[in-house]
Amino acid sequence: MLSILMRSRGFITEQKLSSHDVLTKEEVLPLLNTKYIGGEIIYLDSVDSTNNYARDRAAGGCSEGLVIIADMQTAGRGRLGRNWATPKASSIAFSVVLKPEIKPFKASGITLVVGTAVCRALRYKTSMDVGIKWPNDIILNRKKLCGILTEINAGMDVVNYIITGVGINVNIKEFPEDLKDIATSLSLELGNVVSRKDILVSVLSEIEKTYEDFKVNGLNNIMDEYKSYSVTLGNFVKVTSINDIMEGEAIEITDDGLLVVKLKDGMKKKVISGDVSVRGINGYI
Ligand code: BTN
């Protein structure tokens, strides 16, 4: 196979010379058979963060389902104030604007909805054992494959809009030293260059299906599937939140998506948010 290797800021990425794997509206739209997710697509060669761009559009009153796709992000954002790298032409980085008519306290469910949808699409497309680390890190072979950042804009009683941003490592051949042991990509795991377009279309379609269900049934129909993908349940975890660190066994995910951790003294604590590391053979991920 003829391929081209590119090096940037510690990442080595790979593209097939023959393929036309760009994520422009013209390339993506004909393959997409969703009703409204991707009804409008904005493609950018480069942007600071697709979530920022989507937020500005949503604040200006765009329609639900707008998808912002970038070939590269210069200041991609992760959860808990972290950075997210999107090297050129090798990853998928997109954000979707959602406007569910739900009470603000239900909006965090979107995190699990999108996690389930992305995991399902990646399992289907790769036939690999892709999993979810609570709440929605997508994991493959104990390394992070994909991150999801969901940001909610709500008033006291109404959700104005939700931006959910998804970053998938697709054709990254080598990660910088600090990420090598904790991050992976589809091409590294599959051993071949992967079509970003194909993955993106499948992920958007699963997001729409799962979100449609959520709007009618809440998390009722999603939780069993979500739990079946969980790499957190049944394992020892370390939860780092603003105020404290706790360690224990992740014994349950509640119907509203909270993680229940059983501490050494037998006490059970519900985790609403925070950074969860899962202890396993190769340490924590
Ligand atoms: C995480 O795991 O910490 C979440 C990473 C989310 C990254 C995606 S890439 C597209 C969108 N734009 C951003 O700036 N972040 C999200």
Side-chain angles (χ1 to χ4, degrees):
M1 176 198 67
L2 275 179
S3 66
I4 176 170
L5 291 182
M6 289 180 297
R7 192 183 291 268
S8 150
R9 291 195 218 162
F11 289 87
I12 297 181
T13 61
E14 185 176 26
Q15 274 176 280
K16 267 190 207 167
L17 267 181
S18 56
S19 88
H20 192 56
D21 193 26
V22 289
L23 302 178
T24 55
K25 177 176 162 178
E26 291 69 26
E27 291 286 329
V28 173
L29 261 186
L31 305 176
L32 199 61
N33 54 19
T34 49
K35 284 182 276 176
Y36 57 92
I37 300 286
E40 192 188 345
I41 291 180
I42 298 176
Y43 167 83
L44 305 158
D45 279 329
S46 176
V47 69
D48 56 351
S49 152
T50 55
N51 266 37
N52 293 353
Y53 196 99
R55 181 192 59 209
D56 293 347
R57 285 295 167 132
C62 70
S63 33
E64 179 170 56
L66 169 67
V67 173
I68 310 297
I69 304 168
D71 199 42
M72 172 184 165
Q73 293 186 118
T74 54
R77 294 188 290 111
R79 288 180 63 237
L80 308 165
R82 295 185 180 128
N83 299 326
W84 181 265
T86 308
K88 191 174 167 40
S90 61
S91 301
I92 294 174
F94 72 89
S95 302
V96 188
V97 178
L98 302 173
K99 298 184 171 179
E101 289 175 7
I102 53 172
K103 295 283 179 201
F105 74 92
K106 298 227 159 162
S108 63
I110 292 288
T111 307
L112 306 194
V113 168
V114 177
T116 304
V118 174
C119 191
R120 187 195 302 143
L122 292 175
R123 289 172 76 93
Y124 173 61
K125 283 285 149 191
T126 64
S127 304
M128 289 199 289
D129 193 18
V130 182
I132 307 178
K133 178 164 79 75
W134 188 90
N136 64 2
D137 281 348
I138 306 295
I139 304 293
L140 181 53
N141 292 332
R142 307 205 59 77
K143 292 182 175 177
K144 185 150 161 177
L145 175 67
C146 159
I148 301 169
L149 176 66
T150 297
E151 298 178 301
I152 297 160
N153 183 297
M156 283 294 278
D157 216 32
V158 65
V159 172
N160 301 319
Y161 56 83
I162 296 176
I163 309 295
T164 187
V166 179
I168 309 175
N169 302 326
V170 183
N171 292 318
I172 297 175
K173 247 190 124 41
E174 200 174 304
F175 285 87
E177 209 48 50
D178 56 327
L179 296 177
K180 242 180 193 141
D181 295 333
I182 52 173
T184 193
S185 70
L186 289 174
S187 66
L188 273 178
E189 300 297 335
L190 288 166
N192 52 264
V193 178
V194 173
S195 161
R196 290 188 298 161
K197 214 161 41 185
D198 194 29
I199 300 285
L200 174 65
V201 166
S202 173
V203 167
L204 289 174
S205 150
E206 294 306 328
I207 288 178
E208 183 172 283
K209 275 189 225 156
T210 320
Y211 174 61
E212 281 284 277
D213 189 275
F214 171 73
K215 283 192 290 182
V216 181
N217 303 305
L219 290 172
N220 291 348
N221 294 340
I222 293 163
M223 284 318 295
D224 280 352
E225 183 181 359
Y226 176 88
K227 285 182 200 170
S228 75
Y229 299 152
S230 177
V231 299
T232 307
L233 267 183
N235 284 312
F236 278 89
V237 295
K238 181 157 82 183
V239 185
T240 311
S241 45
I242 303 170
N243 300 325
D244 68 335
I245 297 180
M246 61 182 177
E247 284 187 279
E249 189 190 352
I251 54 165
E252 197 188 330
I253 295 168
T254 63
D255 290 346
D256 46 358
L258 306 185
L259 182 70
V260 182
V261 178
K262 189 172 166 195
L263 307 180
K264 279 199 192 101
D265 61 8
M267 258 221 332
K268 292 177 188 169
K269 287 239 177 173
K270 279 187 186 165
V271 184
I272 299 167
S273 71
D275 194 22
V276 175
S277 317
V278 180
R279 193 172 73 193
I281 301 155
N282 301 316
Y284 281 96
I285 53 171

